[in-house]
Amino acid sequence: MTRPSWAPEGIDLDRPSASRVYDYFVGGMHNFEIDRELARMIEQFTPNVAETMRANRDMLRRVVRYLTDAGIDQFLDLGSGIPTVGNVHEVAQARNPEARVVYVDIDPVAVAHSQAILAGNDRAIVIAGDVADPEAILSDPGTKDLLDFNRPVAVLLLGVLHFVPDSADPAAAVSRLLEVAAPGSYVSITHATADGQPAEVLEAQKLSGRTSTEIVLRGKDEIAGYFQDWTLLEPGLVHLPLWRPDNPEDVGANPEASGAYGGLAQKG
């Protein structure tokens, strides 16, 4: 196999990567046949897994568009995966070329690919980090160089907290991230849920995770607690397709099939 420029040396192209499988599901180009084979196996188990992942990515785009139009020009994206197919820097910088983005991921494959993709973009970087260790993320030289927490910042936690086990205290990690954010900052969270989901969908969510960590499905009330006392913007914490869809027909007949809730809140 010819190694493309975005696939760094040292990355095994003969083994599937969860991050590249996710990239395939959302329509990206940064994946290989070995990744697509695994994706097709997952799809055989449950056909709507790609729909769920696309719903998460679609909400990410809508959130970033909203935030950029609201004047936010710096983003901290935790659990970012491979930043391709309309990800944060692409959407934000299309509207504001000065927008700055720090991507954070625990998966070394995702980090290596991201570094190659972002080469030459001095306003978007990726760092290796664990959302359960916010101090390391906040003190990373890359974060400190690119983001100014004395100004409003967008903290993006889309599709990542359900990979943090209760033993790692995700609520405390989120609390620390929100604590350092200046007034006027925003936080967006999407989180997989067991609410109303059939057994086969729950199993698929475990299979399709971006890391080897087993997914933790949480209820709406627990997810809502992560926003603390920040003000949830309309329409509140809802199934992903219901969060400010571009068109009413995008919602579909069963928005709960997304298997996740999402919301956006602002610090007063």
Side-chain angles (χ1 to χ4, degrees), residues 212-267:
S212 59
T213 306
E214 184 171 329
I215 199 167
V216 182
L217 299 168
R218 298 183 172 102
K220 187 174 184 178
D221 289 345
E222 186 173 2
I223 298 167
Y226 293 135
F227 292 95
Q228 300 188 16
D229 61 350
W230 289 29
T231 302
L232 269 168
L233 278 63
E234 291 294 333
L237 184 63
V238 294
H239 291 292
L240 306 186
L242 294 171
W243 197 89
R244 303 192 180 201
D246 293 328
N247 300 291
E249 56 267 25
D250 293 341
V251 173
N254 298 297
E256 66 277 5
S258 66
Y261 292 112
L264 175 67
Q266 186 177 26
K267 187 173 188 176

Side-chain angles (χ1 to χ4, degrees), residues 76-87:
L76 178 63
D77 183 9
L78 299 110
S80 53
I82 300 174
T84 183
V85 197
N87 215 306

Side-chain angles (χ1 to χ4, degrees), residues 5-127:
S5 60
W6 55 265
E9 295 293 334
I11 295 296
D12 187 353
L13 305 186
D14 296 320
R15 297 182 61 186
S17 155
S19 294
R20 294 196 305 261
V21 169
Y22 180 84
D23 176 76
Y24 166 76
F25 275 130
V26 299
M29 302 294 291
H30 295 78
N31 53 78
F32 301 104
E33 181 56 31
I34 192 71
D35 306 304
R36 296 188 283 273
E37 288 177 5
L38 177 56
R40 288 190 285 267
M41 291 174 59
I42 295 171
E43 282 187 299
Q44 287 177 354
F45 190 71
T46 176
N48 75 337
V49 64
E51 177 184 345
T52 299
M53 294 184 178
R54 285 193 292 268
N56 191 73
R57 182 56 60 91
D58 288 346
M59 180 170 166
L60 172 69
R61 295 190 189 103
R62 298 196 300 275
V63 165
V64 173
R65 287 201 305 264
Y66 173 87
L67 293 173
T68 308
D69 291 346
I72 296 297
D73 61 359
Q74 45 182 4
F75 299 82
L76 178 63
D77 183 9
L78 299 110
S80 53
I82 300 174
T84 183
V85 197
N87 215 306
V88 179
H89 75 283
E90 187 177 281
V91 176
Q93 292 176 353
R95 285 168 132 75
N96 177 6
E98 301 299 314
R100 297 172 177 240
V101 181
V102 173
Y103 290 112
V104 183
D105 206 282
I106 197 172
D107 178 3
V109 174
V111 172
H113 283 313
S114 300
Q115 289 171 336
I117 292 169
L118 297 172
N121 188 332
D122 60 1
R123 291 183 173 85
I125 64 167
V126 61
I127 65 173

